[in-house]
Amino acid sequence: MEVKSKIIGIDAGSVTVSVVEMDPDGNILDYKYVYHQGKPAAVLRDLLMEIDYTNVVGVARTSSVPDIYNGSVDFDITISIIKGVKFFYNDFRSILNVGGEKFSLIEFDEDGNYTNMKSNTSCAAGTGGFLDQQAKRLNLSDSAELSAKAMANTGDIPKIASRCSVF
């Protein structure tokens, strides 16, 4: 079996580290998504040690990744998100990005051209880290289970305070 060349992609956020191995055509060969518990560089080192570097032709990382890997190409996180969505989807008008600290809305016109981005400031209410914490407080496994319960709600929509929340 012929071993294809591959590219390593790395992202580190305020809560998780992600590493993906993909071929030059964009097919995902393997990926890891790990909560770093406040130690992104250590978790990234461990994940990078698990990779077979045979046939790796490039390494790309978002600008938020700890600077422990020499020779990689850095990409702006927002541009990386936009490029990823455009790769997988043809027809969209907006992207909601829920991170550990930030929640952003990226908007596009009818032709798919970027028009605007709105993001919360220092308050993290409604973001991934906050939602994970609230899920644990409710004895749920994670924010995905919290989301499933919210989507299954048939009653009135709960009212929330607008102060310190995500638009």
Side-chain angles (χ1 to χ4, degrees), residues 66-153:
D67 194 15
I68 66 168
Y69 196 96
N70 295 328
S72 62
V73 179
D74 290 356
F75 291 91
D76 176 82
I77 186 67
T78 303
I79 293 172
S80 299
I81 291 167
I82 292 169
K83 294 288 270 182
V85 169
K86 285 187 174 190
F87 181 82
F88 288 105
Y89 302 98
N90 295 323
D91 187 26
F92 60 92
R93 294 286 300 274
S94 59
I95 301 169
L96 289 174
N97 177 36
V98 181
E101 289 180 339
K102 283 196 167 184
F103 185 103
S104 61
L105 170 65
I106 307 169
E107 299 173 299
F108 302 85
D109 65 18
E110 57 277 348
D111 296 321
N113 300 308
Y114 170 87
T115 58
N116 192 26
M117 181 175 129
K118 298 174 187 173
S119 183
N120 65 315
T121 55
S122 60
C123 176
T127 62
F130 174 81
L131 296 173
D132 281 337
Q133 287 175 341
Q134 298 314 308
K136 284 184 180 26
R137 292 177 74 192
L138 294 168
N139 293 319
L140 303 174
S141 60
D142 55 23
S143 57
E145 186 178 354
L146 178 66
S147 295
K149 286 193 176 295
M151 293 299 292
N153 177 40

